[in-house]
Amino acid sequence: QVQLVESGGSTVQAGGSLKLSCQVSGQTFSKIGMGWFRRGPGSEREFVASISWTGSSTYYADSVKGRFTISRDNAKNTVYLQMDSLKVDDTAVYYCAGGGFGPIAEYGYWGQGTQVTVSA
């Protein structure tokens, strides 16, 4: 059984930084693409970023490009999302997803989410 567990969510002031982690167990982590999605208050879930299984390819939503960085450590079965220059609009529950790449892939595995709140 594949499990994805996010951590690192918190409340931070606008302009600040936060790093999310997603620990994966029960699957050959190093062979699957990973992604981050988010759902803001009253909004649909939206794609944030993804990374290929080798880590050599990344893909970002325009809204976070240049501010967020996705990375992975296959030795630790963990994918990260470094978030810099945070904005109030980045407030959302952030979800880790596994088994796909890009914004429209069918990700087969999902975490429970971690709350990120950006205050003005």
Side-chain angles (χ1 to χ4, degrees), residues 51-90:
I51 187 166
S52 63
W53 68 273
T54 62
S56 61
S57 296
T58 56
Y59 192 109
Y60 295 94
D62 287 343
S63 58
V64 306
K65 202 172 294 183
R67 300 188 299 119
F68 290 11
T69 303
I70 188 171
S71 62
R72 65 190 297 159
D73 185 339
N74 286 349
K76 295 182 178 180
N77 280 15
T78 302
V79 63
Y80 305 97
L81 185 68
Q82 176 67 44
M83 305 185 292
D84 298 317
S85 302
L86 282 161
K87 304 176 181 179
V88 173
D89 287 347
D90 294 320

Side-chain angles (χ1 to χ4, degrees), residues 2-119:
V2 179
Q3 286 189 321
L4 284 68
V5 179
E6 304 96 335
S7 62
S10 183
T11 298
V12 62
Q13 285 193 324
S17 297
L18 210 55
K19 187 172 185 177
L20 305 182
S21 300
C22 174
Q23 179 77 40
V24 182
S25 61
Q27 173 61 285
T28 307
F29 173 78
S30 62
K31 298 298 186 184
I32 62 172
M34 298 293 297
W36 286 96
F37 289 74
R38 67 186 182 186
R39 187 192 302 272
S43 301
E44 298 285 321
R45 185 178 68 193
E46 65 173 350
F47 170 81
V48 175
S50 64
I51 187 166
S52 63
W53 68 273
T54 62
S56 61
S57 296
T58 56
Y59 192 109
Y60 295 94
D62 287 343
S63 58
V64 306
K65 202 172 294 183
R67 300 188 299 119
F68 290 11
T69 303
I70 188 171
S71 62
R72 65 190 297 159
D73 185 339
N74 286 349
K76 295 182 178 180
N77 280 15
T78 302
V79 63
Y80 305 97
L81 185 68
Q82 176 67 44
M83 305 185 292
D84 298 317
S85 302
L86 282 161
K87 304 176 181 179
V88 173
D89 287 347
D90 294 320
T91 294
V93 178
Y94 283 72
Y95 299 91
C96 177
F101 180 77
I104 60 172
E106 292 287 337
Y107 292 81
Y109 311 107
W110 293 87
Q112 294 299 305
T114 186
Q115 177 70 48
V116 172
T117 301
V118 184
S119 61

